[in-house]
Amino acid sequence: MIPGKTIYRLSIYNRCLRRVEENQLTTISSSALAKAAGVNPSQLRRDFTYLGQFGTRGLGYPVQELMDAIRDVLGRENLQPVILVGAGNLGSALLRYQGFQKEGFEVVAAFDAVPDAVMQREISVPVYDVDTMPKFIAENDVKLAILSVPVEHAQEVANELVDAGVQGILSFSPTVLQVPETVTVNSVDLALELEQVSFFVKNEKISEVEIEPTS
Amino acid sequence: MIPGKTIYRLSIYNRCLRRVEENQLTTISSSALAKAAGVNPSQLRRDFTYLGQFGTRGLGYPVQELMDAIRDVLGRENLQPVILVGAGNLGSALLRYQGFQKEGFEVVAAFDAVPDAVMQREISVPVYDVDTMPKFIAENDVKLAILSVPVEHAQEVANELVDAGVQGILSFSPTVLQVPETVTVNSVDLALELEQVSFFVKNEKISEVEIEPTS
DNA sequence: TCGTGTGAAGACGTTCACAGCT
DNA sequence: AGCTGTGAACGTCTTCACACGA
């Protein structure tokens, strides 16, 4: 079983490797890739042992094979359908965000309590009334949802998502969602992230804050 | 020295306590608060030992004193000025986001390469040309910045921020920023967070993914 | 010689279990 | 009885250091 933190870093390596690939390199050493990813070379090598072993001593890792191996673990051959709930302020920005597509996700539909108000904002994804959400989830076999509704409705909507069959939620609400343990929740709390930065700045430490997995 | 993970959780406890306070409770037990925060009671008590000790055995913690103690550690008596760079898609949504204010931050100005294009989007924060940024930072003694420029300009802008005197950056670019170790960087990578959820869903584990500090 | 793969050590974080206070 | 505070056990993650292959 691969640790969550390793999974997170594999995603980072994957990104870095794409840039390496663009530069026409066919192999890369652990130290070079580690530097690009902002981690320790030993850690990177340790992470790669979970992929089996195919680095060449004295040379490095074959870029293409490495990418294939990582993608294999992350299970990202085909596009993952995702829905978004709450197309307000943050939600509509996320709908326009291209980064999800780049990583192999497709936001197939959005839901909002007042879909009309959202329509005009140059969004290519269809926005439906939130009442139709459970039906859509069931019919399209959606497993992943992005939750960007106001905090006071977050738990309520999360319950609906879970009942409808969603198995993973990326939440942007500053609250702790209570869900069955069969459901995976990852919470991104923007204010908390800023608070973290603030703390370490105040305490003027030589404290490098890294991005971290949500194991 | 307080561990980064504890700091992160202190912020969560702080949020939960606000709700407890609204319910007119004057004391709360570790188990009740831990449940609300989604952590283990032992861990919560361990976290609180960093605040000194003022829980009452057999009773719990005094809500008000606890909040004061946490706020004292987080150093959040007064409003922290923050600037935002890159008022595009995501950036302008962040400008309209109220969550930062609620946690005691004030976004005092935004900067963009094309400020005119941003002006009309019902934003209350002034948007300036990015060229004026270093001057603004120096004059207003800004220590924190939110970075939401396109990935290809992220490093470049980060360098400018650091040169101008910024000490903490909350970045939304899917890249690893290289900064001096005196500067704190916290990176929120939206696609990676979604990828995390996706992985644990695919592997149908009983794997509760929690929000985590960026230590 | 260069760089991987890995045992072993170390650092860190979490949880248990219970003594002791109210 | 109820709940905190904490030593000690445990588990996880990171880093070192070096054997070994190319």
Side-chain angles (χ1 to χ4, degrees):
Chain A
M1 187 52 199
I2 307 180
K5 299 209 166 185
T6 295
I7 293 296
Y8 195 83
R9 286 190 298 263
L10 286 177
S11 302
I12 297 175
Y13 303 149
N14 195 32
R15 280 256 188 72
C16 297
L17 284 167
R18 238 176 273 160
R19 279 212 290 265
V20 171
E21 196 187 28
E22 283 166 17
N23 290 22
Q24 316 287 340
L25 301 174
T26 60
T27 60
I28 186 162
S29 70
S30 62
S31 56
L33 185 52
K35 196 182 170 189
V39 301
N40 182 301
S42 296
Q43 184 161 94
L44 182 142
R45 292 201 299 276
R46 178 75 67 193
D47 286 338
F48 284 175
T49 60
Y50 292 105
L51 306 176
Q53 67 185 69
F54 49 87
T56 310
R57 299 182 185 208
L59 231 177
Y61 298 90
V63 174
Q64 199 57 57
E65 285 177 46
L66 193 49
M67 290 182 76
D68 289 346
I70 292 176
R71 250 185 283 245
D72 203 44
V73 169
L74 297 181
R76 298 278 315 299
E77 335 70 40
N78 41 19
L79 251 92
Q80 282 273 319
V82 187
I83 60 167
L84 181 143
V85 198
N89 184 10
L90 191 63
S92 58
L94 294 174
L95 285 176
R96 279 184 248 110
Y97 185 63
Q98 297 303 307
F100 296 129
Q101 271 83 345
K102 280 186 193 145
E103 296 298 322
F105 297 98
E106 187 188 359
V107 181
V108 292
F111 298 89
D112 198 280
V114 193
D116 292 345
V118 186
M119 298 303 266
Q120 45 257 61
R121 308 193 201 174
E122 16 160 306
I123 291 169
S124 57
V125 177
V127 181
Y128 304 119
D129 191 287
V130 75
D131 291 340
T132 67
M133 189 182 75
K135 201 176 157 206
F136 186 97
I137 292 171
E139 285 176 359
N140 297 69
D141 199 35
V142 176
K143 293 272 168 285
L144 298 176
I146 298 170
L147 183 61
S148 52
V149 299
V151 109
E152 57 271 24
H153 298 121
Q155 183 63 59
E156 173 195 341
V157 175
N159 293 346
E160 286 176 36
L161 286 168
V162 171
D163 289 346
V166 162
Q167 288 174 32
I169 298 175
L170 178 59
S171 166
F172 288 89
S173 296
T175 188
V176 178
L177 295 178
Q178 309 288 341
V179 297
E181 63 176 14
T182 52
V183 175
T184 302
V185 172
N186 191 3
S187 223
V188 174
D189 191 322
L190 301 173
L192 247 56
E193 298 299 337
L194 186 55
E195 207 159 46
Q196 282 295 294
V197 180
S198 170
F199 176 82
F200 286 104
V201 166
K202 282 228 192 55
N203 293 262
E204 229 132 321
K205 287 280 146 227
I206 303 165
S207 56
E208 201 161 304
V209 174
E210 301 165 14
I211 44 179
E212 273 218 6
T214 50
S215 67
Chain B
M1 189 51 199
I2 307 181
K5 300 209 167 186
T6 295
I7 294 296
Y8 195 82
R9 286 190 297 263
L10 286 178
S11 302
I12 298 175
Y13 303 149
N14 195 32
R15 281 258 187 71
C16 297
L17 284 167
R18 239 177 273 161
R19 280 212 289 264
V20 170
E21 196 188 26
E22 284 167 17
N23 290 21
Q24 316 286 342
L25 301 174
T26 60
T27 61
I28 186 163
S29 70
S30 62
S31 56
L33 185 53
K35 197 183 171 189
V39 302
N40 181 302
S42 296
Q43 184 162 91
L44 182 142
R45 292 201 298 275
R46 177 75 67 194
D47 286 339
F48 284 175
T49 61
Y50 292 105
L51 306 175
Q53 66 186 67
F54 50 88
T56 309
R57 295 179 186 211
L59 231 177
Y61 298 90
V63 174
Q64 198 57 58
E65 285 177 46
L66 194 50
M67 290 181 76
D68 290 346
I70 292 176
R71 251 185 282 246
D72 203 44
V73 169
L74 297 180
R76 298 279 315 297
E77 335 70 38
N78 40 18
L79 252 92
Q80 283 272 320
V82 187
I83 60 167
L84 181 143
V85 197
N89 184 9
L90 191 63
S92 58
L94 294 174
L95 286 176
R96 279 183 247 109
Y97 185 62
Q98 297 303 307
F100 296 129
Q101 272 82 345
K102 280 187 193 145
E103 296 298 321
F105 297 100
E106 187 190 356
V107 182
V108 292
F111 298 90
D112 199 279
V114 193
D116 292 343
V118 185
M119 297 303 265
Q120 43 258 60
R121 307 191 202 176
E122 15 160 307
I123 290 169
S124 58
V125 178
V127 181
Y128 304 119
D129 192 286
V130 75
D131 292 339
T132 67
M133 188 181 75
K135 202 176 157 204
F136 187 96
I137 293 171
E139 285 176 0
N140 297 71
D141 199 36
V142 176
K143 294 271 168 284
L144 299 176
I146 298 170
L147 183 61
S148 52
V149 299
V151 109
E152 57 270 26
H153 298 121
Q155 183 63 59
E156 173 194 341
V157 176
N159 293 346
E160 286 176 38
L161 286 168
V162 170
D163 290 345
V166 163
Q167 288 174 31
I169 298 174
L170 178 59
S171 166
F172 288 89
S173 296
T175 188
V176 179
L177 296 178
Q178 310 288 342
V179 297
E181 62 176 16
T182 53
V183 176
T184 302
V185 172
N186 191 3
S187 226
V188 174
D189 191 322
L190 300 174
L192 247 56
E193 298 299 337
L194 186 55
E195 206 159 45
Q196 282 296 296
V197 180
S198 170
F199 177 81
F200 286 104
V201 167
K202 281 227 192 55
N203 292 262
E204 230 132 320
K205 287 282 145 226
I206 303 165
S207 57
E208 201 161 304
V209 174
E210 301 165 15
I211 44 179
E212 273 218 6
T214 50
S215 67

